C-alpha cells in the first residue's frame, strides 16, 4: 500500500513542507504500517468523498490535505480542508505527517 | 516625422517654444486653447489650497455606527479541533497564566486598537463584532487561520514552529482577514488572493510597529519573527522589506517570495501561491511607508485602508488594479507628493500603475522645473519622439504647458519622463 500526502496553503505555506510525501507501508516499521492501515479502515477512506470539509466565506490560511492511497488496484484521493471535524480523519492526517516526517531527509 | 507646433505653420523643431511664439499664441490662439490653459492654472491653485487644508489626519468613520465595542473571548481547543472550545479569558479579565491565551488576548487587543484609534473602525465588521480566538488547536498544529468567523492558533510542533501566538503580527494578520472579508472580500486565489494575504501582512506588521512605537525606518518588517523554532535557519516566515530572505534552511528550503513582478510565481498550490506572490505588494507597501517616513500606520496604512474600503476595488482585483487605487487614494488623502511616492513604490516592484490624467498632476510635475535644477527630464509627444527638456524658467514652464495644451487639442498623447524614475502621462488623446 502507498499513502501520499500533499499540503496546500496555511499561514506559513512553506513549499518544501507542503511537497508530496509518500509512505510505502511495506518499507516502514510494521507497527506503524498496521496503525495507518487501521486508521484508513476506521475512516472508511475509500468511501470518503473527494472533498471533505466546507469552508466559510472569507476564510483564509486554511490548510488543505490531499491524501492519495493506492492499494492493489484501488486508488482514491481526497482533499480535506481545516478545520477537520471527524476526529479519526484528523488522526489519520496527523499520523501520516508524523510518520512521513520520520523518513524525510 | 510630424512636428507639433504651438501655433500652426512655423518651422519650430525645438520642444520649448521661444517666447516670441508664445506671445503669438496668447494673441492668436483659439478661445478653447486659451481657456484650457487658464483652467489648468486655476485648478492647480485650487489643488494646492486643498493640500494645505488637508493635514495627515484619521479619515472620518466611513461605515458602521455606535460606540466602539471591544469584546475579546479567548478559548482553548485543549489540543482537539472543536471550535470555539472552552472559554478561558473574556474581555476585561486578568491574565490567565496560559501564555498562548494571553498572547492571543493581547494581540487581538492591539489589533482592535489600531483599527479603532487610527482608522476609526469598530472591530472586524465595523459594528462591534466580538473577537473570538481559539488557541491550543489540534496536535502540534503548525498553523494559524481565520475560519470566516474566528481566529485559530496552533501550538506548533516545537521542531519547526513555536506557538503561532508568539508574534503579534500573526494575530493582526488573522484578524485582518476578517476585515478584508467584511470589506473588499478579495477572492482567495491568484492575484486577488495574494492581495488578500498582503493586506493581512501589512496590517499585521502595523499592529507590531504601533505596539512597539516604531517608525517605518525602525521596524523590522518581518512577519512571524520568533515563530521558527530554535535551530531553524531563518528570522521569520516573510520579510516585507526583502521578500525571499526570511529563511534558508535544509528542512524548510529557501523563502520563495518574489520581490518583483518579473519573478511572479505561477503555481497551482496554495490557491495560486497567495502566500508567495504577496511578497510583491508587501514590498510596495514597505517602500511606500519608508518613503513617506514617520509612523507607517499614519501614512501608508491610511492609504491601504482607504483602498480596502474603496467601492472601486473588486473581489477579483489584480495587483495593478489595487495599485492604481492606492495611487488615487494617496492623492486624495495626502496630495501629489505622497502620491508620487506610491507610484514609485509600485514601479519599483514592477507594477506599472496608470498615470493620473489630470491637469493639476501635469502642472505639479512641471513645477519641478520652475527653478534652476540638475534633474534630467524628457518629454514625449506622440509621433514626435523623446526630447530633452531644457532647464526651465517659469516662463519656460508656461511655454511647455502651452505646447502640451496645443498637442492635446490636436489629439496627441504626451508623456513627461523625469530622471528615469517615473513616466507621467500628462494628457491622453
Ligand atoms: Zn493569511
Amino acid at each position: 500500500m502507498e499513502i501520499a500526502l500533499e499540503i496546500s496553503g496555511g499561514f506559513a505555506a512553506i513549499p518544501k513542507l507542503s511537497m508530496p510525501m509518500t509512505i510505502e507501508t511495506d518499507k516502514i516499521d510494521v507497527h506503524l504500517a498496521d496503525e495507518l492501515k487501521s486508521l484508513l479502515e476506521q475512516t472508511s477512506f475509500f468511501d470518503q468523498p473527494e472533498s471533505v470539509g466546507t469552508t466559510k466565506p472569507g476564510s483564509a490560511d486554511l490548510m488543505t490535505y490531499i491524501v492519495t492511497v493506492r492499494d492493489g488496484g484501488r486508488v482514491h484521493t481526497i482533499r480535506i480542508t481545516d478545520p477537520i471535524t471527524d476526529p479519526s480523519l484528523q488522526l489519520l492526517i496527523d499520523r501520516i505527517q508524523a510518520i512521513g516526517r520520520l523518513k524525510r531527509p | 516625422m510630424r512636428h507639433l507646433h504651438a501655433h500652426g505653420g512655423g518651422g519650430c523643431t525645438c520642444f520649448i517654444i521661444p517666447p516670441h511664439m508664445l506671445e503669438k499664441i496668447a494673441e492668436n490662439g483659439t478661445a478653447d486653447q486659451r481657456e484650457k490653459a487658464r483652467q489648468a492654472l486655476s485648478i492647480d491653485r485650487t489643488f494646492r489650497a486643498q493640500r494645505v487644508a488637508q493635514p495627515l489626519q484619521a479619515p472620518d468613520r466611513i461605515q458602521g455606527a455606535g460606540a466602539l465595542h471591544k469584546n475579546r473571548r479567548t478559548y482553548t481547543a485543549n489540543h482537539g479541533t472543536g471550535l470555539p472550545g472552552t472559554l478561558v479569558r473574556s474581555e476585561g479579565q486578568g491574565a490567565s497564566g496560559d501564555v498562548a491565551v494571553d498572547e492571543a488576548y493581547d494581540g487581538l487587543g492591539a489589533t482592535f486598537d489600531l483599527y479603532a484609534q487610527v482608522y476609526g473602525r469598530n472591530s472586524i465588521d465595523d459594528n462591534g463584532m466580538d473577537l473570538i480566538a481559539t488557541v491550543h488547536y489540534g496536535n502540534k498544529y503548525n498553523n494559524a487561520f481565520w475560519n470566516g468567523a474566528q481566529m485559530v492558533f496552533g501550538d506548533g510542533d516545537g521542531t519547526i514552529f513555536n506557538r503561532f501566538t508568539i508574534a503579534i503580527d500573526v494575530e493582526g494578520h488573522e484578524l485582518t482577514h476578517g476585515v478584508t472579508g467584511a470589506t473588499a472580500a478579495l477572492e482567495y486565489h491568484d492575484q486577488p488572493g495574494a492581495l488578500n494575504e498582503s493586506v493581512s501582512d501589512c496590517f499585521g506588521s502595523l499592529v507590531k510597529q504601533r505596539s512597539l512605537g516604531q517608525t517605518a525606518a525602525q521596524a523590522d518588517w518581518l512577519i512571524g519573527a520568533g515563530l521558527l523554532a530554535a535551530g531553524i535557519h531563518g528570522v521569520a516566515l516573510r520579510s516585507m522589506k526583502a521578500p525571499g530572505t526570511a529563511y534558508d534552511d535544509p528542512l524548510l528550503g529557501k523563502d520563495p517570495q518574489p520581490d518583483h513582478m518579473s519573478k511572479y510565481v505561477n503555481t497551482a498550490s496554495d490557491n495560486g501561491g497567495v502566500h508567495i506572490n504577496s511578497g510583491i505588494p508587501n514590498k510596495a507597501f514597505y517602500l511606500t511607508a519608508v518613503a513617506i517616513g514617520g509612523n507607517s500606520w499614519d501614512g501608508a496604512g491610511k492609504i491601504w485602508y482607504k483602498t480596502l474600503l474603496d467601492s472601486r476595488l473588486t473581489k477579483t482585483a489584480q495587483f495593478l488594479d489595487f495599485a492604481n487605487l492606492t495611487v488615487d487614494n494617496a492623492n486624495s488623502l495626502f496630495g501629489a507628493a505622497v502620491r508620487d511616492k506610491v507610484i514609485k513604490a509600485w514601479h519599483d516592484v514592477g507594477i506599472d500603475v496608470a498615470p493620473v490624467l489630470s491637469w493639476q498632476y501635469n502642472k505639479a510635475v512641471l513645477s519641478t522645473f520652475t527653478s534652476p535644477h540638475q534633474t534630467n527630464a524628457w518629454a514625449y509627444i506622440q509621433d514626435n519622439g523623446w526630447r530633452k527638456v531644457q532647464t526651465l524658467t517659469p516662463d519656460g514652464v508656461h511655454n511647455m504647458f502651452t505646447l502640451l495644451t496645443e498637442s492635446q487639442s490636436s489629439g496627441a498623447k504626451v508623456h513627461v519622463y523625469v530622471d528615469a524614475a517615473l513616466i507621467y502621462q500628462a494628457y491622453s488623446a
Side-chain angles (χ1 to χ4, degrees):
Chain A
M1 184 187 289
E2 186 183 283
I3 303 168
L5 170 67
E6 183 180 346
I7 298 173
S8 181
F11 173 75
I14 293 173
K16 195 168 177 185
L17 297 181
S18 309
M19 278 162 47
M21 61 167 76
T22 304
I23 299 168
E24 291 175 53
T25 52
D26 58 356
K27 292 185 180 172
I28 60 172
D29 180 277
V30 66
H31 299 292
L32 294 175
D34 286 347
E35 183 190 352
L36 288 174
K37 286 175 188 168
S38 165
L39 282 169
L40 289 171
E41 274 178 36
Q42 278 179 46
T43 55
S44 305
F45 183 84
F46 284 93
D47 298 327
Q48 288 280 349
E50 287 178 8
S51 181
V52 182
T54 51
T55 56
K56 291 191 177 87
S59 59
D61 299 328
L62 298 173
M63 281 189 181
T64 295
Y65 311 87
I66 303 142
V67 186
T68 300
V69 178
R70 294 170 194 277
D71 186 23
R74 292 192 298 176
V75 182
H76 189 51
T77 297
I78 67 174
R79 297 174 62 93
I80 314 167
T81 299
D82 277 330
I84 303 171
T85 50
D86 177 345
S88 59
L89 267 181
Q90 180 70 59
L91 187 58
L92 174 67
I93 299 294
D94 286 348
R95 293 306 292 155
I96 293 173
Q97 287 191 86
I99 294 166
R101 191 161 288 139
L102 291 178
K103 53 182 279 300
R104 268 187 187 281
Chain B
M1 187 168 73
R2 184 169 70 91
H3 292 292
L4 288 160
H5 303 289
H7 186 61
C12 176
T13 54
C14 54
F15 178 66
I16 300 301
I17 314 160
H20 70 272
M21 290 190 69
L22 256 189
E23 288 162 18
K24 279 190 181 173
I25 296 164
E27 290 166 13
N28 304 328
T30 65
D32 184 52
Q33 287 165 354
R34 290 199 304 265
E35 177 60 15
K36 273 186 178 147
R38 191 195 63 74
Q39 281 175 358
L41 295 167
S42 167
I43 290 168
D44 181 60
R45 280 192 292 274
T46 308
F47 177 64
R48 283 167 191 279
Q50 281 172 348
R51 283 178 59 191
V52 169
Q54 201 172 56
L56 292 167
Q57 61 188 11
D60 292 329
R61 293 285 308 283
I62 295 168
Q63 51 176 221
L68 290 175
H69 184 252
K70 182 182 185 179
N71 189 31
R72 289 165 283 179
R73 294 211 306 273
T74 309
Y75 296 75
T76 175
N78 284 314
H79 309 290
T81 56
L83 293 174
T86 307
L87 181 62
V88 179
R89 187 175 176 191
S90 298
E91 186 66 38
Q93 292 185 334
S96 69
D98 180 323
V99 67
V101 167
D102 293 331
E103 283 173 342
Y105 182 90
D106 292 343
L108 299 186
T111 307
F112 180 94
D113 290 348
L114 170 77
Y115 279 107
Q117 294 165 10
V118 181
Y119 308 118
R121 186 175 189 83
N122 186 6
S123 191
I124 290 169
D125 61 350
D126 200 19
N127 198 26
M129 179 176 169
D130 292 346
L131 302 177
I132 300 171
T134 298
V135 300
H136 301 311
Y137 176 87
N139 175 37
K140 298 182 176 181
Y141 183 62
N142 282 334
N143 195 22
F145 62 85
W146 166 256
N147 81 342
Q150 69 156 98
M151 288 142 274
V152 178
F153 301 91
D155 292 326
D157 59 6
T159 306
I160 301 169
F161 293 107
N162 294 315
R163 63 184 184 278
F164 275 70
T165 49
I166 200 167
I168 196 170
D169 41 274
V170 181
E171 282 96 334
H173 177 108
E174 297 307 334
L175 195 150
T176 298
H177 276 309
V179 174
T180 298
T183 53
L186 290 158
E187 289 183 2
Y188 204 65
H189 62 84
D190 303 297
Q191 287 194 32
L195 286 167
N196 188 322
E197 271 306 312
S198 175
V199 165
S200 273
D201 279 351
C202 291
F203 288 94
S205 183
L206 293 183
V207 169
K208 177 178 174 180
Q209 292 176 36
R210 189 163 180 266
S211 71
L212 295 172
Q214 291 177 330
T215 64
Q218 291 164 339
D220 64 14
W221 294 95
L222 296 173
I223 299 298
L227 187 51
L228 295 175
I232 299 286
H233 294 97
V235 291
L237 281 183
R238 295 184 275 277
S239 168
M240 301 180 72
K241 180 178 184 173
T245 67
Y247 56 85
D248 191 352
D249 180 87
L251 198 58
L252 303 187
K254 188 180 179 304
D255 177 359
Q257 281 210 312
D259 63 357
H260 192 275
M261 200 57 196
S262 61
K263 302 175 199 165
Y264 187 93
V265 178
N266 287 299
T267 172
S269 188
D270 186 25
N271 298 295
V274 297
H275 295 86
I276 294 176
N277 293 311
S278 55
I280 296 165
N282 275 1
K283 183 157 188 189
F285 182 79
Y286 157 79
L287 290 170
T288 298
V290 169
I292 293 172
N295 296 325
S296 307
W297 55 89
D298 283 328
K302 284 178 182 169
I303 296 166
W304 258 242
Y305 182 71
K306 187 170 183 186
T307 299
L308 194 62
L309 268 59
D310 195 317
S311 61
R312 296 170 292 175
L313 183 65
T314 67
K315 295 177 183 191
T316 55
Q318 305 295 295
F319 288 178
L320 182 59
D321 302 322
F322 187 90
N324 280 329
L325 290 174
T326 63
V327 170
D328 194 45
N329 289 322
N331 190 45
S332 62
L333 283 171
F334 302 127
V338 169
R339 176 204 55 207
D340 289 357
K341 294 180 201 296
V342 178
I343 293 174
K344 183 164 192 317
W346 286 109
H347 281 194
D348 286 351
V349 300
I351 304 294
D352 294 323
V353 289
V356 180
L357 298 173
S358 65
W359 280 96
Q360 61 267 39
Y361 187 32
N362 176 52
K363 184 60 165 60
V365 173
L366 300 185
S367 296
T368 308
F369 303 97
T370 54
S371 52
H373 62 86
Q374 299 302 314
T375 307
N376 289 312
W378 288 260
Y380 179 89
I381 298 175
Q382 188 173 317
D383 300 334
N384 222 11
W386 288 101
R387 288 162 184 275
K388 191 164 183 177
V389 178
Q390 305 302 314
T391 302
L392 300 178
T393 64
D395 269 358
V397 171
H398 182 70
N399 296 354
M400 189 166 167
F401 236 127
T402 309
L403 177 62
L404 296 177
T405 302
E406 188 73 18
S407 303
Q408 185 197 32
S409 63
S410 69
K413 287 185 177 173
V414 180
H415 305 258
V416 180
Y417 188 86
V418 182
D419 251 354
L422 299 175
I423 295 173
Y424 298 90
Q425 184 168 347
Y427 306 100
S428 75

